[in-house]
Amino acid sequence: MILPDLKTPLLWALGLGLVAALATTGIERTRAAGARADAATARGELADYRATAAESGRLAERAARNTERTWRSRVDGVIQDGQKQLTAVRADAATAIAAARELHGQLAAYRAAARAATAAPAAAAGGTPASDPLDLLADLFGRADARAGELARIADERGAAGSTCEYWAEATRP
């Protein structure tokens, strides 16, 4: 009996197995190289993203500081204007007080002249002396004037403070 030659098909099978193994190895190497390239690309994109995020953070911080600086300068201006306004109000109040004192002095001189006139012998026949009602009226108007001056000073100061607060709020609006 003749035995079939098994060497040739075996060689063919081994050859095909070797070719398949080499092809598979080549495919896997290509896949691994692709994965390495993808990983390198991802690392590069991540580095770019981090750099962009850091730059965005720096820009946002700079913008916030500029906004804060702008608000601070506006608020400082409002405070200075408010102080000027309060100084002007207080100067006006001091001027009003000085004018009131001058009027009180003139009233005192008038009252003294009126007393002297009523004390004169010629005026004695004229009737009742006018000093008591005159003193009462002068005292009443003097106290009313002093209170009105005090209320005006308080109203002016509070008005100046209120407008300063309004300007402050307006200055800090974005």
Side-chain angles (χ1 to χ4, degrees):
M1 177 153 135
I2 301 187
L3 284 174
D5 188 15
L6 290 179
K7 286 184 189 178
T8 306
L10 185 60
L11 286 175
W12 273 100
L14 283 176
L16 287 176
L18 182 61
V19 168
L22 289 175
T24 305
T25 304
I27 291 171
E28 288 303 316
R29 282 189 177 173
T30 304
R31 260 196 205 159
R36 282 192 293 274
D38 289 346
T41 302
R43 280 192 296 276
E45 288 174 357
L46 179 62
D48 290 346
Y49 171 77
R50 284 181 177 165
T52 302
E55 183 63 22
S56 295
R58 284 191 293 276
L59 291 175
E61 184 178 349
R62 187 178 308 143
R65 287 177 191 251
N66 287 339
T67 301
E68 183 180 340
R69 238 181 261 118
T70 300
W71 285 357
R72 183 78 248 167
S73 70
R74 285 182 192 168
V75 167
D76 287 345
V78 167
I79 289 171
Q80 289 172 357
D81 290 346
Q83 289 298 328
K84 287 176 186 176
Q85 202 173 16
L86 280 175
T87 300
V89 163
R90 288 178 180 147
D92 289 347
T95 302
I97 289 170
R101 285 186 183 142
E102 183 179 335
L103 285 174
H104 287 294
Q106 291 174 357
L107 181 61
Y110 176 75
R111 286 170 56 190
R115 281 194 194 117
T118 58
T128 61
S131 64
D132 288 341
L134 184 62
D135 287 343
L136 178 63
L137 185 61
D139 184 48
L140 178 66
F141 281 135
R143 284 190 278 160
D145 182 53
R147 185 64 180 151
E150 179 67 20
L151 291 175
R153 182 190 63 78
I154 291 170
D156 286 346
E157 284 183 4
R158 301 242 168 104
S163 64
T164 300
C165 286
E166 288 174 3
Y167 295 143
W168 179 308
E170 191 64 34
T172 56
R173 227 177 243 164

